[in-house]
Amino acid sequence: GAGVSQSPSNKVTEKGKDVELRCDPISGHTALYWYRQSLGQGLEFLIYFQGNSAPDKSGLPSDRFSAERTGGSVSTLTIQRTQQEDSAVYLCASSQGATTAKEQFFGPGTRLTVL
Amino acid sequence: RKEVEQDPGPFNVPEGATVAFNCTYSNSASQSFFWYRQDCRKEPKLLMSVYSSGNEDGRFTAQLNRASQYISLLIRDSKLSDSATYLCVVSRKNTGRRALTFGSGTRLQVQP
């Protein structure tokens, strides 16, 4: 079956522009995570969706970042007024079940470059 | 202090060598532990979960020491294809909230 997909794979934007990143999780997975990974760094948690529960936004670095998940499936991460420090690979992951003890399946990521 | 700490490496080892990585975590309430593998410019993939009693999967052995709050990964008979970054992952509580914390990874380079 299909894995987690993300689009676009690469995005180059100018400082100050808004960007939208999309994630299609594995069908049936109720949990969806967004992370970002800067060059040579570990994964930084951003936001977590579980079913119909309120999302855990505690990892979002500023109010320029927001995310939504429509219909419990596709998710969009929006970054407003992008800054150069937002440049990173944005990874989406999904998993079955209600606990983080379950394996997370990652998408290939969106490489964001802010000029 | 980071919640999950790993030696970034790189560990350069010859084919056939045995290599071990350690990872320390700071939160004693951590409950679930994993090793993920990430190839260059690729997404992370689960390598193995780490159980309290220790567990083995082929050439890979994972150990957990709760008293000292560290996790280890041992790779025997290293292959060229083992070259990757190994991420230590810790889950604080089994509740589904934002509890997965990733280490920065340890880079392994297996040389012919």
Side-chain angles (χ1 to χ4, degrees), chain A residues 6 22-23 30 33-35 37 42 44 52 58 66-67 69 77 82 88 96-98 106:
Chain A
Q6 292 186 246
R22 177 188 167 105
C23 171
T30 57
Y33 305 79
W34 282 99
Y35 298 88
Q37 187 172 33
E44 176 188 1
N52 295 320
S58 58
S66 62
R69 188 180 184 191
L77 177 69
T82 51
Q96 287 182 315
F106 284 83

Side-chain angles (χ1 to χ4, degrees), chain A residues 37 48 56 58 98 100 104 107, chain B residues 36 38 43 91 94 96 98 100:
Chain A
Q37 187 172 33
Y48 160 68
D56 180 346
S58 58
T100 51
Q104 295 191 7
Chain B
Y36 275 69
Q38 186 172 26
E43 69 272 22
S91 173
N94 213 24
R98 67 139 296 209
L100 267 191

Side-chain angles (χ1 to χ4, degrees), chain A residues 41-79:
Chain A
Q41 301 298 310
L43 275 70
E44 176 188 1
F45 166 82
L46 297 177
I47 188 169
Y48 160 68
F49 296 90
Q50 174 58 259
N52 295 320
S53 302
D56 180 346
K57 306 179 182 179
S58 58
L60 295 178
S62 78
D63 59 8
R64 296 186 296 105
F65 288 73
S66 62
E68 60 179 28
R69 188 180 184 191
T70 53
S73 181
V74 172
S75 177
T76 303
L77 177 69
T78 301
I79 309 173

